């Protein structure tokens, strides 16, 4: 398999995809790009690379770059995805794919016109407990889904040190909740309607956050199955022994399962059998820079999946269509919080002329 050439745009969390690619036999790191020269120097030194530029145009003009990995602030993703596609590059864009639907039609058109692959880097799907939960579910042993619950709570007050996190453009509803929202849509792709509430916590207010940081939602799928999603981002969390920060629970006809981010746990019950599996021995693979604030292992898993899909002529998922519908769901959630009413995903998409994305 020919190695793919990677260009990385944004070197904060972009650090993780650099590590993932350098440790993969399927990728070459061709070029790094960030507006911040000092950070570029630090990353070049950290990974012994000598290919940094401050110019996105230079990155896009580099013929050795097959794929652009986009790790810039959330509100810039749409523009950067379009630019990369127009330059004839495949795209891997971190979550949230977009932070509203205003440029969604342009993103879709750019993807169609280029014929290039776009994959949303929904990293949690590629974390051992959630990947194992999915594979286990796909055996069919659990039977029909009755209910899905997913949450992501994190004390992310440190994140507000980033300049863009305190601007009006930054929304935890997209930046944080996109993880549990995506986990639910993985199992229930046809979420039709949402109802929810949100608030800005005292901690968030004191730190100067502009938008809400605390959320509770109920979903209904087209087939009538319900799901719950919640999250809070500026308050202390329960000790990990008792509560994983991020979790996905499937309640099904024949059994139930729970994937836990911490401590890389997966618990399940099927008939008389029950088991708690752990992937703690993989901690060093998943977290490579000390602490848990970067996601190199998840990214290595998703870029290798991306490369294998391309080699097999398959579309890596979540793709541009799935990504945009997830953004529409998050926009419906935002609208429900603002209006206090249930909101249909179809109505949100229809306003953008994108309702055809709901067709299978
Ligand atoms: N689990 C995950 O998948 C995960 C985890 C953390 C962050 N993220 C995502 O990664 C993205 C970046 O987050 P972060 O924490 O690294 O933020 P950050 O602010 O630390 O890094 C963003 C970088 O982008 C650079 N940048 C901005 N505009 C640019 C441009 N036009 N050209 C080149 N560089 C530019 C900035 O200089 C900065 O260094 C966000 O969308 C975030 O949601 C995903």
């Amino acid at each position: 398999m020919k190695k793919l050439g990677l260009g990385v745009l944004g070197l904060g969390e972009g650090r993780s995809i650099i590590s993932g690619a350098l440790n993969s036999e399927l990728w070459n790191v061709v070029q790094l790009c960030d507006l911040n020269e000092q950070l570029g120097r630090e990353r070049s030194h950290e990974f012994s690379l000598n290919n940094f530029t401050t110019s996105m145009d230079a990155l896009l003009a580099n013929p050795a770059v097959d794929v652009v990995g986009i790790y810039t602030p959330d509100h810039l993703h749409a523009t950067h995805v379009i630019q990369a596609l127009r330059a004839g590059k495949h795209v891997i864009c971190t979550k949230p794919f977009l932070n509203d639907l205003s440029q969604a039609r342009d993103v879709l058109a750019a993807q169609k016109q280029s014929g290039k692959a776009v994959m949303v880097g929904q990293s949690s799907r590629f974390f051992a407990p959630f990947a194992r939960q999915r594979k286990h579910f796909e055996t069919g042993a659990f039977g029909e889904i009755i209910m899905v619950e997913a949450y992501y709570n994190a004390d992310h007050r440190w994140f507000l040190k980033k300049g863009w996190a305190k601007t009006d453009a930054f929304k935890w509803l997209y930046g944080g909740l996109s993880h549990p929202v995506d986990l639910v849509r993985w199992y229930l792709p046809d979420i039709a309607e949402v109802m929810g509430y949100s608030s800005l916590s005292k901690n968030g207010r004191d730190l100067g956050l502009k938008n809400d940081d605390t959320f509770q939602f109920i979903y209904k799928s087209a087939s009538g199955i319900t799901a719950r999603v919640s999250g809070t981002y500026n308050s202390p969390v329960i000790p990990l022994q008792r509560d994983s920060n991020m979790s996905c629970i499937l309640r099904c006809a024949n059994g139930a399962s729970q994937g836990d981010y911490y401590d890389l746990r997966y618990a399940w019950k099927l008939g008389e059998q029950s088991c708690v599996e752990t992937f703690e021995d993989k901690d060093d693979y998943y977290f490579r820079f000390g602490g848990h604030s970067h996601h190199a292992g998840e990214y290595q898993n998703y870029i290798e999946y991306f490369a294998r899909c391309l080699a097999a002529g398959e579309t890596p998922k979540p793709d541009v269509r799935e990504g945009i519908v997830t953004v529409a769901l998050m926009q419906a959630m935002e609208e429900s919080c603002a209006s206090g009413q249930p909101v249909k995903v179809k109505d949100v998409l229809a306003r953008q002329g994108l309702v055809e994305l709901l067709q299978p």
Side-chain angles (χ1 to χ4, degrees), residues 31-78:
Q31 198 154 28
L32 309 183
C33 178
D34 199 296
L35 296 177
N36 180 338
E37 255 184 90
Q38 169 63 22
L39 185 61
R41 274 194 292 275
E42 284 171 26
R43 290 287 177 255
S44 299
H45 177 71
E46 178 180 6
F47 294 108
S48 304
L49 292 168
N50 188 17
N51 51 18
F52 171 71
T53 175
T54 53
S55 160
M56 182 179 180
D57 288 342
L59 179 94
L60 296 182
N62 187 335
V65 171
D66 302 304
V67 182
V68 181
I70 297 176
Y71 296 86
T72 48
D74 303 354
H75 57 286
L76 302 178
H77 293 171

Side-chain angles (χ1 to χ4, degrees), residues 9-10 12-13 34-36 39 71-74 76-77 80 94-96 121 123 159 162 164 179 295 299:
L9 188 71
E13 182 60 13
D34 199 296
L35 296 177
N36 180 338
L39 185 61
Y71 296 86
T72 48
D74 303 354
L76 302 178
H77 293 171
H80 290 155
T94 188
K95 53 66 13 201
S123 54
F159 195 80
K162 298 176 197 273
W164 60 281
H179 287 287
H295 303 263
Y299 293 14

Side-chain angles (χ1 to χ4, degrees), residues 3-307:
K3 284 190 175 195
L4 288 170
L6 178 70
V8 182
L9 188 71
L11 303 181
E13 182 60 13
R15 187 185 191 193
S16 294
I17 197 173
I18 301 169
S19 167
L22 288 173
N23 283 285
S24 172
E25 288 176 0
L26 307 181
W27 288 83
N28 279 327
V29 178
V30 173
Q31 198 154 28
L32 309 183
C33 178
D34 199 296
L35 296 177
N36 180 338
E37 255 184 90
Q38 169 63 22
L39 185 61
R41 274 194 292 275
E42 284 171 26
R43 290 287 177 255
S44 299
H45 177 71
E46 178 180 6
F47 294 108
S48 304
L49 292 168
N50 188 17
N51 51 18
F52 171 71
T53 175
T54 53
S55 160
M56 182 179 180
D57 288 342
L59 179 94
L60 296 182
N62 187 335
V65 171
D66 302 304
V67 182
V68 181
I70 297 176
Y71 296 86
T72 48
D74 303 354
H75 57 286
L76 302 178
H77 293 171
T79 302
H80 290 155
V81 169
I82 292 168
Q83 282 177 272
L85 288 169
R86 287 189 181 151
K89 309 298 184 186
H90 298 292
V91 168
I92 295 175
C93 180
T94 188
K95 53 66 13 201
F97 184 35
L98 313 171
N99 74 343
D100 62 37
L101 288 177
S102 56
Q103 288 173 275
R105 279 175 70 90
D106 298 337
V107 169
L108 194 63
Q111 189 278 325
K112 275 190 189 148
Q113 219 158 28
S114 69
K116 295 291 171 182
V118 173
M119 185 182 89
V120 186
Q122 288 291 169
S123 54
S124 302
R125 289 190 189 193
F126 296 85
F127 192 58
F130 300 119
R132 162 75 177 125
Q133 181 179 32
R134 175 74 186 193
K135 272 218 154 70
H136 203 186
F137 173 74
E138 284 175 355
T139 63
F142 289 85
E144 208 169 284
I145 292 177
I146 293 171
M147 189 166 87
V148 183
E149 298 164 52
Y151 61 78
Y152 177 28
N153 301 300
D155 192 346
H156 274 338
R157 282 177 274 189
W158 60 270
F159 195 80
L160 297 178
K161 289 200 190 93
K162 298 176 197 273
W164 60 281
K166 280 196 199 167
T167 67
D168 203 31
F170 177 68
K171 296 174 176 175
W172 275 119
L173 197 155
Y174 294 79
L177 274 191
S178 48
H179 287 287
V181 169
D182 176 70
L183 289 172
V184 170
R185 279 208 73 228
W186 206 13
Y187 293 98
L188 300 174
D190 61 341
I191 298 297
E193 187 169 303
V194 56
M195 174 75 219
Y197 297 97
S198 67
S199 61
L200 177 56
S201 68
K202 174 180 169 6
N203 291 352
R205 275 198 313 276
D206 289 351
L207 288 165
L209 188 67
K210 300 284 182 301
N211 294 303
D212 289 354
D213 58 5
T214 306
F215 309 94
Q216 305 265 12
F217 293 97
I218 298 172
Y219 294 168
K220 192 167 97 175
S221 76
S223 49
I225 300 169
T226 57
R228 274 196 294 162
V229 164
S230 62
T232 181
Y233 297 99
N234 288 307
S235 54
V237 288
I238 308 291
L240 302 180
Q241 291 82 351
R242 289 306 310 267
D243 184 25
S244 172
N245 283 195
M246 193 191 306
S247 203
C248 178
I249 300 172
L250 303 180
R251 302 188 192 280
C252 306
N254 308 328
S257 70
Q258 178 162 16
D260 276 339
Y261 201 82
Y262 300 125
D263 280 324
L264 295 94
R265 274 188 310 255
Y266 172 57
W268 54 273
K269 184 165 173 62
L270 270 173
E272 298 295 297
Q273 250 189 318
S274 64
C275 184
V276 179
E277 302 173 19
T278 75
F279 300 86
E280 282 169 302
D281 57 319
K282 301 251 176 5
D283 201 84
D284 291 347
Y285 172 79
Y286 282 101
F287 304 107
R288 301 178 188 175
F289 311 117
H292 289 123
S293 62
H294 289 274
H295 303 263
E298 290 154 79
Y299 293 14
Q300 185 168 338
N301 290 352
Y302 72 54
I303 62 172
E304 291 186 340
Y305 159 76
F306 182 94

